[in-house]
């Protein structure tokens, strides 16, 4: 098919909610609630004059006019130009920003080429390892039971949220989980200390002493990484911590600028990078962090807390990267089960009994939205 495919329209499509499953207080936002539904929400569509339509995560309605004014009439293949221009014309840092448009353009390119994105990007993995990313802070006993359940379901890894009032409760949580699942199960830990762009955030706030003492204990328990143990821009403290401990120090999900990741690499702030496409305005920018990480000999596992189309786009990226050992999958059942977010798909992938998630085989992102959920204009 010709590469001269032009954009004709950009839409936000709303989806019908079938059922409200429940709410969870997320560890990273104490006092607030995260809603989990079957169906519901919205997604972004980019239409072309070739009859190919790309999909991406929902864009906030406040961006639609600016995006359409810029994008309509231009080539759907010029993703580098569009990423640069939209970063300028739609500058607001917003989780429902222009990332969905960028993903939809890549979906169009994959469909035009007849290839799933991971193959288009040079990947060969046909399945990847998702880790079950917990939502709630929870108790040591509950998390140990959850770990047993995940292991019996086939999961190979889980990420715990750790920032209890007491460091002893944090360590006991990991001890209980390790005892429950044994050594052949990967445990990650997230301290969630980088939510704020400034110096304050709700909940327990760690200083360097607590971060270091926690890291030393965690590495003795075989924890794979400690995530965001200090404030977002405390690069000096993070680099010192990274140098003093053997375990991986990870982070970057809340950093929107590519220049920040350059600094992280130059200063050896993290040994494992976690860029987020929804924060960095899409896959075009995120792919560049993958190259940067490889140049500096770092692993990366992109962050994603959205749970639907963006997760699948990240799955394609992880399958195309040699230095990405896992994929984040928000999964804290029963309320926070990943299938609740995946319910908008007609052909959603599932984690198999050995803990792998197969890559979509269709072109582009490779998944279709359930047509019965689409609310017609």
């Amino acid at each position: 098919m010709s590469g001269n495919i032009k954009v004709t329209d950009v839409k936000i499509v709303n989806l019908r909610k079938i059922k409200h499953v429940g709410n969870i207080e997320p560890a990273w936002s104490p006092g607030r609630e995260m809603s989990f539904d079957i169906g519901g929400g919205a997604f972004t569509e980019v239409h072309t004059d070739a009859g190919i339509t790309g999909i991406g995560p929902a864009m906030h309605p406040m961006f639609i006019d600016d995006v359409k004014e810029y994008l309509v009439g231009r080539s759907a293949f010029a993703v580098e130009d569009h990423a640069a221009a939209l970063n300028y014309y739609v500058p607001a840092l917003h989780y429902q920003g222009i990332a969905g448009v960028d993903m939809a353009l890549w979906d169009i390119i994959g469909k035009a080429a007849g290839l799933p994105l991971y193959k288009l990007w040079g990947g060969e993995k046909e399945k990847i390892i998702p880790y079950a990313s917990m939502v709630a802070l929870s108790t040591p006993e509950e998390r140990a039971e959850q770990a047993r359940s995940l292991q019996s379901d086939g999961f190979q890894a889980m990420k715990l949220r750790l920032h209890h009032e007491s460091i002893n409760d944090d360590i006991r949580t990991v001890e209980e989980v390790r005892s429950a699942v044994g050594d052949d199960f990967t445990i990650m830990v997230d301290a969630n200390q980088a939510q704020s762009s400034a110096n304050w955030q709700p909940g327990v706030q760690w200083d360097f002493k607590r971060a270091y003492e926690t890291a030393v204990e965690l590495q003795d328990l075989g924890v794979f990484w400690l995530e965001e143990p200090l404030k977002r821009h405390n690069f000096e403290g993070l680099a010192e911590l990274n140098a003093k401990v053997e375990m991986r120090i990870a982070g970057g999900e809340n950093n929107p600028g590519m220049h920040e990741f350059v600094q992280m690499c130059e200063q050896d702030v993290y040994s494992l990078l976690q860029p987020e496409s929804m924060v960095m305005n899409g896959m075009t920018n995120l792919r560049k962090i993958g190259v940067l990480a490889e140049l500096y000999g770092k692993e990366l596992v992109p962050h994603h807390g959205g749970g639907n189309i963006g997760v699948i786009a990240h799955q394609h990226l992880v399958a195309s990267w040699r230095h990405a050992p896992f994929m984040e999958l928000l999964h804290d059942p029963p309320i926070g089960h990943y299938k609740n977010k995946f319910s908008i798909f007609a052909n959603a992938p599932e984690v198999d009994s050995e803990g792998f998630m197969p890559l979509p085989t269709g072109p582009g992102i490779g998944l279709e939205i359930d047509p019965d959920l689409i609310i017609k204009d």
Side-chain angles (χ1 to χ4, degrees):
M1 181 173 284
S2 169
N4 189 27
I5 297 174
K6 295 190 183 299
V7 175
T8 57
D9 202 2
V10 181
K11 295 181 179 179
I12 299 169
V13 182
N14 293 312
L15 297 169
R16 183 166 53 91
K17 184 168 73 174
I18 303 299
K19 176 185 176 183
H20 176 62
V21 179
N23 296 326
I24 300 177
E25 179 182 342
W28 58 87
S29 189
R32 298 185 180 182
E33 291 192 331
M34 186 174 183
S35 178
F36 290 87
D37 303 313
I38 303 295
F43 68 100
T44 300
E45 277 187 343
V46 176
H47 296 254
T48 68
D49 60 2
I52 299 174
T53 300
I55 62 171
M59 174 175 54
H60 195 282
M62 69 180 173
F63 298 127
I64 190 73
D65 290 341
D66 288 335
V67 169
K68 287 176 69 171
E69 182 179 356
Y70 166 78
L71 198 57
V72 170
R74 297 180 187 269
S75 168
F77 281 64
V79 287
E80 289 289 346
D81 287 346
H82 302 332
L86 289 173
N87 283 344
Y88 177 82
Y89 286 113
V90 188
L93 300 178
H94 196 288
Y95 201 77
Q96 287 187 313
I98 59 171
V101 176
D102 185 77
M103 289 184 201
L105 291 171
W106 277 110
D107 190 31
I108 291 166
I109 294 170
K111 287 172 177 174
L115 292 171
L117 287 180
Y118 77 96
K119 287 186 179 289
L120 190 72
W121 291 333
E124 194 175 30
K125 303 175 194 173
E126 295 185 347
K127 57 185 180 179
I128 50 86
I129 304 173
Y131 72 82
S133 183
M134 300 292 99
V135 177
L137 186 61
S138 197
T139 65
E141 293 76 17
E142 192 278 335
R143 278 298 168 239
E145 184 57 39
Q146 182 76 281
R148 288 190 195 93
S149 177
L150 289 168
Q151 190 178 47
S152 68
D153 288 340
F155 274 88
Q156 300 183 39
M158 74 183 296
K159 183 168 77 180
L160 304 166
R161 310 287 172 171
L162 284 196
H163 37 95
H164 292 93
E165 290 292 335
S166 163
I167 188 174
N168 291 332
D169 286 336
D170 284 342
I171 302 307
R172 192 165 69 86
T173 298
V174 181
E175 288 174 339
E176 293 287 335
V177 169
R178 179 58 76 202
S179 177
V181 296
D183 294 333
D184 295 330
F185 188 86
T186 303
I187 301 172
M188 300 88 159
V189 162
D190 192 344
N192 287 124
Q193 294 298 302
Q195 294 302 111
S196 172
S197 60
N199 293 320
W200 183 89
Q201 64 182 51
V204 174
Q205 297 181 60
W206 289 11
D207 56 14
F208 183 88
K209 180 175 182 292
R210 172 141 180 189
Y212 174 73
E213 290 178 354
T214 301
V216 170
E217 295 275 3
L218 294 180
Q219 69 183 13
D220 287 344
L221 291 165
V223 170
F224 193 78
W225 76 56
L226 172 59
E227 181 174 336
E228 294 193 332
L230 293 170
K231 293 179 177 64
R232 188 188 306 179
H233 295 110
N234 185 2
F235 287 0
E236 183 178 348
L238 287 162
E240 182 181 355
L241 179 65
N242 196 30
K244 283 188 172 181
V245 298
E246 296 176 7
M247 73 177 305
R248 296 167 180 83
I249 302 299
E253 70 184 64
N254 291 302
N255 296 86
M258 283 187 279
H259 67 285
E260 295 180 79
F261 285 89
V262 171
Q263 288 179 278
M264 290 176 199
C265 290
E266 289 178 343
Q267 299 176 31
D268 203 19
V269 169
Y270 296 119
S271 52
L272 188 146
L273 302 180
Q274 298 173 306
E276 160 68 83
S277 64
M278 302 300 289
V279 173
M280 299 194 72
N281 282 340
M283 308 305 284
T284 303
N285 291 335
L286 196 64
R287 292 179 71 221
K288 295 171 183 176
I289 307 303
V291 175
L292 182 68
E294 187 171 27
L295 289 173
Y296 278 87
K298 296 184 180 299
E299 295 171 298
L300 80 165
V301 176
H303 169 271
H304 199 284
N308 46 54
I309 301 173
V311 172
I312 305 303
H314 278 203
Q315 186 186 13
H316 284 283
L317 261 190
V318 168
S320 72
W321 282 334
R322 294 183 300 114
H323 51 322
F326 296 98
M327 180 193 82
E328 179 164 30
L329 182 66
L330 209 63
H331 179 60
D332 195 346
I335 293 174
H337 201 292
Y338 77 89
K339 289 184 180 180
N340 294 334
K341 296 286 188 181
F342 279 15
S343 64
I344 68 169
F345 298 125
N347 54 338
E350 295 186 8
V351 180
D352 66 23
S353 61
E354 296 181 340
F356 291 95
M357 180 176 281
L359 268 293
T361 57
I365 289 175
L367 294 186
E368 298 176 2
I369 303 297
D370 184 346
D372 293 335
L373 297 178
I374 294 175
I375 299 174
K376 307 297 183 183
D377 292 338

